Amino acid sequence: MLSIEEKEHYMKEAIIEAKKAEALAEVPIGAVVVLNGEIIGRGHNRRETSQYAAAHAEMIAIAQANERLENWRLEDCQLFVTLEPCAMCSGAIVLSRIEEVYYGAVDPKGGTAGTLMNLLEEERFNHQCYVEQGVLQEECGHMLTSFFRELRRKKKESKKRKNSDR
């Protein structure tokens, strides 16, 4: 099991990825895949810039790790992600055989690593992951809250401008 310091170190790397997404006006979600203390996959949300529904941070990090290892199996790997994985990402995590998943903020609308359901520890699947929530939860949650607050402010401002142009 990883120490608190190690967990926070890798989550900070996932936060760096989330900030890359935010710089692209994407929802700030980031992920890293770690094997034997080395980051072998990185990803940040790119759904809007790619116009591809599956361009989630976890999916990109997993694909990069698969390529790096030249193997679809990511046994003995840990995944760190700033937001609780959705159903699609949880499916990819299970299918890729990731051993441990650590996430920051819970996702009350789409989280499937304990909030709406727990696909990662579902005993009916042929693989289960160790799951830990709340690693740097406040920092991860604040990034998302700030992003959506600013998005709402901009939409409201844009609406005001449109109404004043009439």
Side-chain angles (χ1 to χ4, degrees):
M1 207 51 57
L2 299 174
S3 70
I4 292 170
E5 292 80 15
E6 289 171 309
K7 293 173 196 174
E8 289 182 354
H9 168 74
Y10 294 121
M11 188 59 75
K12 285 177 183 175
E13 291 295 321
I15 289 169
I16 289 169
E17 290 299 314
K19 289 179 180 177
K20 291 176 185 178
E22 188 172 36
L24 297 170
E26 294 273 4
V27 178
I29 302 168
V32 296
V33 177
V34 177
L35 177 62
N36 299 324
E38 180 186 354
I39 295 173
I40 61 167
R42 293 177 169 274
H44 54 274
N45 192 30
R46 292 196 298 226
R47 271 194 324 183
E48 297 299 327
T49 50
S50 70
Q51 291 300 301
Y52 179 55
H56 288 202
E58 301 96 301
M59 301 295 283
I60 295 166
I62 288 169
Q64 195 177 94
N66 291 147
E67 191 174 313
R68 172 90 180 269
L69 296 180
E70 297 181 349
N71 195 335
W72 64 268
R73 288 180 181 89
L74 297 177
E75 295 162 336
D76 301 321
C77 289
Q78 296 93 27
L79 173 77
F80 291 82
V81 60
T82 57
L83 181 66
E84 180 179 2
C86 69
M88 174 185 66
C89 293
S90 290
I93 291 164
V94 169
L95 291 172
S96 66
R97 311 290 196 267
I98 288 175
E99 194 73 27
E100 302 169 15
V101 175
Y102 299 89
Y103 67 90
V106 298
D107 184 355
K109 294 182 180 181
T112 60
T115 300
L116 298 178
M117 64 188 71
N118 192 336
L119 295 176
L120 299 178
E121 294 179 314
E122 175 55 58
E123 292 182 3
R124 293 175 290 180
F125 291 137
N126 66 341
H127 176 76
Q128 294 81 39
C129 309
Y130 168 80
V131 178
E132 189 173 317
Q133 71 174 50
V135 179
L136 298 180
Q137 182 172 358
E138 193 172 306
E139 189 172 346
C140 293
H142 179 72
M143 262 192 320
L144 289 158
T145 303
S146 297
F147 175 82
F148 285 113
R149 184 180 297 127
E150 181 63 14
L151 192 64
R152 285 189 298 275
R153 186 192 67 74
K154 286 179 180 177
K155 283 183 179 180
K156 190 175 180 180
E157 196 176 279
S158 176
K159 198 173 186 179
K160 277 184 182 179
R161 271 196 302 256
K162 285 180 183 177
N163 288 337
S164 68
D165 290 344
R166 292 181 186 179

